[in-house]
Amino acid sequence: MFNFGTGIIGSLFKIIKMIAEVGVSVGALALLGIYTYQNKLIYPASMNDGHGYCATPDEYEMPNYESINLITEDGETLQCYSIKHDINSINYSNKTVLILSPNAGNIGHALPIVSIFYNQFGYNVFIYSYRGYGRSTGTASEHGLKIDAQRVIKYLTEEDEQYQQSSIVLYGRSLGGAVAIYIAATMSQAISGLILENTFLSIRKTVPHVFPLLKYFTSFVHQNWDSEKLVPLIPAKIPVILLSARNDEIVPPSHMDAIYSRLKSEDKVIYKFENSNHNDTVIQPQYWERIQQFIQDKVNPVGY
Ligand SMILES: *[C@@H]1O[C@H](CO)[C@@H](O)[C@H](O)[C@H]1NC(C)=O
Ligand SMILES: *[C@@H]1O[C@H](CO)[C@@H](O)[C@H](O)[C@H]1NC(C)=O
Ligand SMILES: *[C@@H]1O[C@H](CO)[C@@H](O)[C@H](O)[C@H]1NC(C)=O
């Protein structure tokens, strides 16, 4: 008589339960999607025609370049450009800039920047595509990109005599900054200077800023790039310059401030570009002057 189980309240209960279950399923599916497809979100290697045409250094007045393919220990092939100055020139700088690319496009797109380091400043430049990007094989992942970094550092410090002698400076923008921090923290003996631009403490701490709805689900981020943990491991003797866009719409500028304060470097400086967004810092006034000054004055041999 008082059994509401099959009455209106029972039906209502069933409907609510069903909605809840559907909701949970949709939510679970979405999270499964985030879990499964985050590599595609975090490493959009096809964006900006990344797998399309790849310009070569001779198109930017760097005819003496080599195209090199490095094979990683797990069998991937990394597409690299190696651009060296004449070691016998009287003004040879003995410095090499290793460019750690930001997240989209291919190494051809970076050639205007390569040309500044090489033609205007006189430094050797080595640049490579992470696995899955450009003409490199495989698919991108944090684990894979770290193997790639190890391979490149091995080449520069053990397999090529000219690079081996030179002082290596890392230039990392955004995701490239995370790779640079990884190298400086774990292969520090190879490194004489570190340039970081608009990079993050970790992907988990960046996600809520880009996708506010995901702020409760950051534990699903398995591609974390925990720079926050690695930064204090960078030896104090490595000089560091940080270039921070204060209107960065992707990485909160507070991340750069926190990286700056966590760095143990005895010689660190942060420049803040008030009117700059995530990707236009390279065209801000004083950007290149500050970088050149840093490499000349803080990296051995000083003055070149
Ligand atoms: C360095 O010297 C060479 C000649 O040895 C000259 O061609 C070149 O322009 C000089 N580079 C710079 C950056 O001064
Ligand atoms: C470059 O610097 C290294 C380390 O200081 C030194 O051993 C080497 O002779 C230098 N090479 C040139 C060409 O200046
Ligand atoms: C920044 O990104 C926007 C949109 O993707 C692009 O139009 C612009 O050219 C980029 N600016 C620089 C300096 O790369």
Side-chain angles (χ1 to χ4, degrees), residues 99-105 130 133 173-176:
I99 297 186
L100 289 318
S101 303
N103 209 350
Y130 309 130
Y133 286 81
R173 299 168 61 197
S174 195
L175 174 66

Side-chain angles (χ1 to χ4, degrees), residues 14-122:
K14 268 189 198 153
I15 288 168
I16 290 169
K17 193 168 161 237
M18 202 176 79
I19 290 172
E21 276 168 0
V22 169
V24 166
S25 310
V26 168
L29 261 181
L31 291 179
L32 188 69
I34 291 165
Y35 193 80
T36 312
Y37 292 108
Q38 65 183 262
N39 286 31
K40 288 208 178 349
L41 284 172
I42 292 174
Y43 312 105
S46 304
M47 238 168 69
N48 292 353
D49 200 25
H51 297 299
Y53 179 70
C54 188
T56 51
D58 53 326
E59 295 173 48
Y60 291 82
E61 292 165 59
M62 295 172 282
N64 300 319
Y65 76 96
E66 287 173 90
S67 261
I68 293 176
N69 287 325
L70 293 179
I71 311 296
T72 65
E73 64 174 33
D74 59 346
E76 301 298 351
T77 302
L78 305 178
Q79 175 200 15
C80 318
Y81 291 147
S82 167
I83 319 164
K84 294 172 184 163
H85 283 286
D86 177 7
I87 194 167
N88 296 314
S89 150
I90 43 158
N91 54 16
Y92 178 65
S93 72
N94 211 4
K95 294 178 183 177
T96 299
V97 176
L98 170 59
I99 297 186
L100 289 318
S101 303
N103 209 350
N106 61 46
I107 56 177
H109 298 147
L111 289 172
I113 281 170
V114 172
S115 169
I116 293 175
F117 281 119
Y118 183 84
N119 287 320
Q120 288 189 36
F121 299 167

